[in-house]
Amino acid sequence: MQSKLTFDQFYEKKLIPEIEKQEDQRKKYKRKFLTALLIGYIIYGIIVVSVEYIYFHNEDQNFFIAYVFCGILLIVPYIFFFQSFRRKFALVYKNNVIRKMIHFIDNGLSYSPTSGFSKSQYLRSELFKRRPDRYKAEDLVQGTIGQTPICFSEIKSEYKSTSGSGKNRKTQWHTIFDGIFFEADFNKDFKTKTFILPDYLERSLGFIGKKLQSLNVGRPPLVKLEDPEFEKYFAVYGEDQVEARYILSTSLMQRLTEFGKKRSLPIYISFVDNSIFVAIYESKNLFEPRIFRTNVNKDVIFEYFDMLKLVTGIVEDLNLNNRIWAGSKMK
Amino acid sequence: MLAIGIVAGVLLLIIILMYNSLVNKKNQVENSFSTIDAMLKKRYDLIPNLVNTVKAFMKHEKDLLSEITELRTKAVSGNLSDSEKIDVENRISGKMGGIMVAVENYPDLKSNSNFLQLQGAWTESEEQISAARRAYNSTVTDYNNAIQMIPTNMLASMMNYKKKDWFEIPNNERNNISAKDLFKA
């Protein structure tokens, strides 16, 4: 696994020239877009002034609504052209910059900016009980790290709620999960399902919280583990008490606690079908280039690198390459 | 009268719930002990294969191998009490640990694919036994808490429920079965 120091050199030597190549294109587009926007507003202003002048003497005429409507109509083509450019530009950026970063981290990984973690894979993890009505996945990374097959991508899953009826009917979208979803082949063979969820109840309510945890409807029974530090961060639910402990060896519990401490946002983990699934919340849309600001920005690139290191580091952090057990290959 | 009836009813309900919870905890302890048994049986099946494989390579560990075979025979005979069983298991673990360390002196054995496969299966079996022991200890903790805490302790003493021991192994034996020591690469 590459260190931050070597990444620093890689950034200077390989990434900056690549990003700078695209900077000209970005600046050209930005100029074009802003000029077109200015011309659009001038034309719109002329129309508004002309209409007011022609009908100036007619007090009954109220054009306010018409102006607003025209204003909105004017914005639509700009949004359309902006989105179309953003998509094309992002693809070039991701193919040239992000892909290079991923290969730098591990040569055994491939990257596809337009593909994502499949919905069926996401559902198979059973990490989130609610079925999504809207599902979007992009930036798929897959391959092997050491001997461990892995894949991960950005995911946003949402569900819909409606209230009221007739004209008052309102639809709202609620986020179920937004962040990085990771799957790796687990090195131990197991038959039942085990879930590790963030523990808010026990941390905030102590003994009562623990009692409430055991009532978690829709999850298998609570597995009380002997590591107090781990128990502070996570609540474990497992279909088989022994198998859950077989998966969660004392060393893995320590590793998961350390991994959990690295992130302030919650982490969800499940062990299903000989795979480990990890869901890491991240509200930012990662790996997207900026259009109106320069992309030669070390902080942004380093933030992406940190995220990629954190995710690919799961294999090392959880010692998944230790393949002395009869774990099966990822389906 | 009605109030007395309600209070008596509630008390009876509480006693029934406490009774059921105690019985449930006791059964869970027994169930998890039997899980350890099931895991141990898996291990017994591995021992003859392992012993036969290493026998051909190991010149100086004959005594150790015959001791393991004897211990296995004793363990599968089924005439042992719980404490004897635990003792035999601990001794098997210790001796097997010795074999795995001795492997270091036999390069041909270390690279033998059959042995490597058995070594992997042994590690898995040890991990499963360890998980079963941890599960057992967790149920024993729940059970012991219930029979020592107020108010279930009163009912438990009437039911003659006694405190159970955790599955503990001596420190030296514990060191022997640690995977880190067993399989030094």
Side-chain angles (χ1 to χ4, degrees):
Chain A
M1 198 65 71
Q2 303 290 354
S3 74
K4 209 155 187 166
L5 193 74
T6 49
F7 183 72
D8 205 29
Q9 293 162 352
F10 171 76
Y11 171 76
E12 299 288 342
K13 274 190 187 158
K14 303 273 178 190
L15 292 186
I16 287 192
E18 200 59 59
I19 298 169
E20 274 174 350
K21 237 193 260 173
Q22 290 162 37
E23 275 296 283
D24 288 343
Q25 203 188 348
R26 187 192 65 79
K27 280 181 194 159
K28 223 156 105 187
Y29 172 77
K30 188 184 158 186
R31 264 200 309 272
K32 236 194 224 171
F33 181 83
L34 291 177
T35 316
L37 197 67
L38 191 73
I39 294 168
Y41 276 117
I42 290 170
I43 294 169
Y44 179 65
I46 292 169
I47 293 169
V48 169
V49 171
S50 315
V51 169
E52 285 290 331
Y53 181 75
I54 293 163
Y55 293 97
F56 187 66
H57 51 277
N58 191 346
E59 282 178 7
D60 293 341
Q61 298 290 338
N62 188 350
F63 289 101
F64 180 72
I65 294 170
Y67 292 151
V68 172
F69 185 70
C70 285
I72 292 170
L73 271 186
L74 190 74
I75 291 168
V76 170
Y78 286 101
I79 294 174
F80 178 78
F81 287 119
F82 174 72
Q83 287 298 350
S84 129
F85 176 78
R86 196 190 60 81
R87 261 196 298 274
K88 275 186 228 155
F89 186 70
L91 204 62
V92 176
Y93 176 84
K94 286 177 175 189
N95 274 329
N96 292 301
V97 179
I98 305 297
R99 175 169 286 135
K100 273 201 171 77
M101 267 172 80
I102 287 161
H103 285 168
F104 171 78
I105 286 171
D106 198 304
N107 237 336
L109 298 173
S110 69
Y111 171 65
S112 166
T114 47
S115 316
F117 214 91
S118 74
K119 193 176 172 183
S120 61
Q121 237 175 325
Y122 164 86
L123 292 173
R124 197 161 59 88
S125 75
E126 292 184 38
L127 274 177
F128 303 98
K129 295 306 259 182
R130 194 178 272 273
R131 225 185 143 80
D133 297 310
R134 195 154 68 185
Y135 178 87
K136 199 181 145 213
E138 59 178 8
D139 298 317
L140 180 72
V141 178
Q142 54 188 345
T144 50
I145 294 183
Q147 289 172 278
T148 309
I150 65 147
C151 80
F152 64 88
S153 85
E154 266 196 285
I155 276 181
K156 187 164 186 180
S157 61
E158 296 162 286
Y159 71 91
K160 192 167 64 173
S161 75
T162 45
S163 57
S165 59
K167 277 185 180 173
N168 296 323
R169 194 176 167 86
K170 268 187 186 167
T171 304
Q172 272 185 305
W173 288 94
H174 311 269
T175 303
I176 303 170
F177 173 72
D178 186 7
I180 302 270
F181 215 85
F182 170 93
E183 182 187 0
D185 183 35
F186 196 58
N187 54 11
K188 289 179 180 174
D189 209 2
F190 54 88
K191 289 173 186 68
T192 60
K193 293 167 189 164
T194 302
F195 303 93
I196 304 176
L197 309 180
D199 186 348
Y200 302 112
L201 287 170
E202 195 180 336
R203 237 181 299 172
S204 48
L205 299 171
F207 174 74
I208 300 165
K210 202 164 194 161
K211 281 277 161 207
L212 288 171
Q213 272 174 0
S214 57
L215 301 173
N216 195 339
V217 185
R219 292 284 181 197
L222 187 72
V223 180
K224 283 181 260 176
L225 293 162
E226 59 279 6
D227 183 337
E229 185 74 0
F230 176 83
E231 284 281 299
K232 241 194 263 173
Y233 285 91
F234 301 107
V236 178
Y237 299 90
E239 289 175 345
D240 185 316
Q241 295 279 326
V242 175
E243 202 159 71
R245 286 175 174 89
Y246 169 59
I247 290 167
L248 289 164
S249 62
T250 42
S251 59
L252 183 60
M253 279 193 283
Q254 281 166 8
R255 286 163 183 276
L256 282 171
T257 312
E258 289 307 314
F259 185 71
K261 279 181 185 170
K262 283 187 194 171
R263 299 280 302 162
S264 52
L265 291 165
I267 293 167
Y268 291 72
I269 301 162
S270 73
F271 297 87
V272 179
D273 287 346
N274 287 332
S275 282
I276 172 174
F277 293 91
V278 184
I280 305 164
Y281 273 92
E282 176 58 63
S283 51
K284 279 183 205 155
N285 191 2
L286 297 167
F287 317 133
E288 297 294 326
R290 301 183 298 190
I291 308 288
F292 293 109
R293 276 186 296 166
T294 176
N295 286 302
V296 187
N297 185 318
K298 209 171 178 176
D299 292 342
V300 175
I301 294 285
F302 272 63
E303 194 186 339
Y304 294 167
F305 176 69
D306 275 343
M307 189 40 131
L308 286 168
K309 276 266 288 177
L310 179 93
V311 180
T312 50
I314 293 175
V315 174
E316 206 174 290
D317 286 347
L318 306 187
N319 207 13
L320 300 181
N321 272 328
N322 192 10
R323 300 204 157 255
I324 46 176
W325 293 274
S328 69
K329 288 268 172 286
M330 196 158 80
K331 285 149 206 126
Chain B
M1 197 63 194
L2 183 71
I4 293 170
I6 290 170
V7 170
V10 170
L11 273 177
L12 187 70
L13 188 71
I14 290 171
I15 289 168
I16 290 171
L17 288 175
M18 286 194 320
Y19 178 85
N20 286 348
S21 148
L22 281 168
V23 172
N24 178 28
K25 286 184 167 73
K26 185 171 177 280
N27 288 342
Q28 271 179 1
V29 172
E30 278 160 19
N31 177 42
S32 35
F33 196 81
S34 68
T35 310
I36 301 179
D37 260 354
M39 301 286 181
L40 290 174
K41 279 194 184 77
K42 259 170 79 178
R43 188 161 75 161
Y44 300 149
D45 296 339
L46 273 175
I47 292 174
N49 287 334
L50 257 165
V51 168
N52 287 333
T53 308
V54 299
K55 210 183 251 172
F57 293 89
M58 290 187 163
K59 303 277 178 280
H60 311 290
E61 266 74 34
K62 290 227 160 57
D63 292 346
L64 195 58
L65 292 172
S66 54
E67 267 182 77
I68 290 170
T69 311
E70 269 172 46
L71 283 168
R72 181 193 175 264
T73 315
K74 205 171 170 186
V76 293
S77 70
N79 305 322
L80 302 172
S81 69
D82 283 356
S83 60
E84 281 173 326
K85 203 186 281 174
I86 291 170
D87 180 52
V88 168
E89 287 315 321
N90 289 339
R91 283 166 63 196
I92 290 180
S93 290
K95 302 286 176 203
M96 284 305 297
I99 290 287
M100 295 302 180
V101 173
V103 167
E104 289 300 305
N105 303 321
Y106 302 91
D108 290 348
L109 177 58
K110 258 171 79 178
S111 55
N112 180 286
S113 61
N114 191 24
F115 173 73
L116 287 173
Q117 206 180 351
L118 283 164
Q119 196 183 37
W122 181 263
T123 314
E124 188 157 326
S125 162
E126 284 293 341
E127 283 264 327
Q128 283 170 341
I129 291 166
S130 150
R133 281 173 176 163
R134 283 161 60 210
Y136 172 77
N137 284 348
S138 169
T139 55
V140 167
T141 307
D142 271 358
Y143 168 83
N144 284 348
N145 283 343
I147 66 165
Q148 288 176 324
M149 281 178 175
I150 296 170
T152 37
N153 63 341
M154 289 182 274
L155 195 63
S157 75
M158 282 195 275
M159 291 158 79
N160 206 22
Y161 276 14
K162 295 271 182 305
K163 188 173 169 269
K164 298 246 184 209
D165 290 330
W166 282 284
F167 208 121
E168 280 179 309
I169 49 171
N171 273 335
N172 58 337
E173 305 270 342
R174 187 179 293 143
N175 291 339
N176 280 340
I177 61 156
S178 100
K180 208 167 136 197
D181 293 340
L182 279 181
F183 307 119
K184 283 175 195 155

